[in-house]
Amino acid sequence: MQEARRLAKKDSALAAIRGRSEQDRKLAPSQQSPFQGNSTAKLIIPNTKVGHGYDPFALPDKQLTKALMDHVKKDPNWRKSFDRKPKRCLSYWYQHMDAYINVLRLRQRNNPNHFRSERISLLNHLFSRMWRDKYGEFKSSVPDHNGLRRRLPGGSWDLYAGIVPTFCATNKTWGVDIDEIYAHVNFQNDHWIAIWISIPKRHIVVWDSTVKHISKAELDEIIEPFLTMVPYLLVECASTDEERIKYSLEPFTYERPTVGVPQCIAGDCGVYALKYMECHALGYTSFPAAFCEKNVKHIREKMAHDIFHETPGFEGIEDETSYFNELDTYG
């Protein structure tokens, strides 16, 4: 029963992908003209005026901060020190991270030209958690004679097709409309790193704010599911034989650069992971000098009121969590 439901979900997602012909795909707003020359050339002309749409390290606005604090003061525990506040489950910590990803998703949807490309996808922790948790099932599943038909984590096809999250669905397909993927990854419930997956380069860059916290062997294990399952998913879900030929089941490569990557003290890794992705998605070729520990208080404050003011009454996190929890019951 569960297997039948899993396959039905896969077939539904793949049918949606394959139903999108080239004629149905619309040009992005940042593309000035669909064609160069006559109508047979079909060479898309990109708009070069993209990226750096805002300052990711702008100081927080005093009036907006006051509105946020007025809301915070409604909590009877707001004055208590951290160790005296009511204990919350780890999912609450994860939701804080995902809330800022939702800010970036909405900004990308509403102002795509603020980012360096419209061919990027911003994913929350549910993607990385599910893929790491289910990697053992993928490895133990028996492939067919082509190396396919293995058991992918629940929701993989919907992510691939851009169907989720429903509040901000892009309907863009990995490898066709999406070239790069950003995600944050948790290590042992006490440290966050960021990853940038380049599909064309078949390569993953890991940004880590406390390099000594994760050994090379540990990082190899953390990244292996993405190195293996991203190329597999591209081949498994390719809509035509021509597209399938472009890809390979060979694992991607990865690196963890250290030069020019801002480092932090304990407790700020989540902020840094989110800002690594935001800066890179905005088109920064190097991390700005403002991205440093002395500014982290202002950075946190600005992120908090961006979440509060840009996603008012937003329930997308809970909806997406429920979606993936349901998928987890049948893989």
Side-chain angles (χ1 to χ4, degrees), residues 193 206 214-223 254 256:
I193 59 175
V206 178
I214 303 176
S215 69
K216 177 62 167 60
E218 289 171 328
L219 189 59
D220 287 345
E221 183 178 351
I222 293 169
I223 302 301
Y254 91 91
R256 176 172 57 177

Side-chain angles (χ1 to χ4, degrees), residues 38-305:
N38 62 45
S39 60
T40 61
K42 297 186 179 180
L43 176 63
I44 294 175
I45 304 174
N47 182 346
T48 56
K49 295 180 180 179
V50 295
H52 291 255
Y54 60 89
D55 179 3
F57 300 102
L59 292 175
D61 180 274
K62 292 183 178 179
Q63 288 187 333
L64 294 179
T65 299
K66 182 181 182 302
L68 172 61
M69 287 307 301
D70 288 343
H71 178 76
V72 169
K73 289 175 183 178
K74 295 176 182 179
D75 181 355
N77 299 301
W78 80 277
R79 283 189 177 276
K80 292 181 180 178
S81 61
F82 182 77
D83 60 336
R84 295 183 60 197
K85 289 181 184 291
K87 300 299 181 183
R88 296 186 182 272
C89 64
L90 287 171
S91 64
Y92 188 76
W93 184 37
Y94 296 153
Q95 286 177 9
H96 282 180
M97 297 288 292
D98 292 347
Y100 197 72
I101 287 294
N102 288 331
V103 169
L104 299 181
R105 284 167 161 173
L106 291 171
R107 288 176 179 175
Q108 183 190 25
R109 183 191 68 182
N110 297 332
N111 296 285
N113 61 310
H114 285 182
F115 295 80
R116 64 183 180 83
S117 171
E118 292 184 40
R119 299 179 64 84
I120 63 176
S121 178
L122 295 150
L123 303 181
N124 69 15
H125 92 279
L126 294 167
F127 157 70
S128 60
R129 187 187 76 187
M130 184 73 75
W131 277 41
R132 290 183 63 207
D133 287 351
K134 296 295 183 178
Y135 183 53
E137 293 182 9
F138 172 84
K139 287 200 299 183
S140 63
S141 59
V142 180
D144 65 12
H145 64 283
N146 291 317
L148 302 177
R149 304 293 294 179
R150 305 187 80 161
R151 189 179 184 87
L152 283 164
S156 295
W157 307 291
D158 286 351
L159 286 172
Y160 170 84
I163 297 171
V164 292
T166 54
F167 81 94
C168 208
T170 64
N171 294 312
K172 291 182 177 182
T173 306
W174 292 10
V176 179
D177 313 295
I178 295 295
D179 291 331
E180 297 165 287
I181 300 162
Y182 296 95
H184 47 288
V185 183
N186 186 266
F187 174 67
Q188 295 184 347
N189 293 324
D190 70 357
H191 186 60
W192 290 101
I193 59 175
I195 60 174
W196 163 41
I197 304 171
S198 171
I199 293 173
K201 295 179 180 179
R202 301 180 57 83
H203 189 68
I204 298 177
V205 174
V206 178
W207 293 301
D208 187 351
S209 60
T210 315
V211 174
K212 294 181 179 179
H213 192 81
I214 303 176
S215 69
K216 177 62 167 60
E218 289 171 328
L219 189 59
D220 287 345
E221 183 178 351
I222 293 169
I223 302 301
E224 183 180 343
F226 312 107
L227 299 177
T228 305
M229 289 195 290
V230 171
Y232 175 87
L233 183 64
L234 293 169
V235 175
E236 175 77 64
C237 295
S239 59
T240 65
D241 290 339
E242 289 77 12
E243 286 185 10
R244 193 170 289 112
I245 290 171
K246 292 192 307 182
Y247 306 119
S248 165
L249 294 177
E250 286 296 313
F252 283 9
T253 57
Y254 91 91
E255 64 178 312
R256 176 172 57 177
T258 55
V259 177
V261 179
Q263 298 290 286
C264 74
I265 61 173
D268 293 328
C269 58
V271 172
Y272 275 61
L274 292 167
K275 284 297 177 180
Y276 291 143
M277 294 185 286
E278 182 178 14
C279 288
H280 196 268
L282 285 170
Y284 285 84
T285 55
S286 60
F287 296 114
F291 190 177
C292 63
E293 197 62 25
K294 74 174 184 179
N295 293 332
V296 75
K297 180 179 181 296
H298 295 308
I299 294 170
R300 280 184 176 275
E301 185 179 329
K302 179 67 164 57
M303 292 172 78
H305 79 49

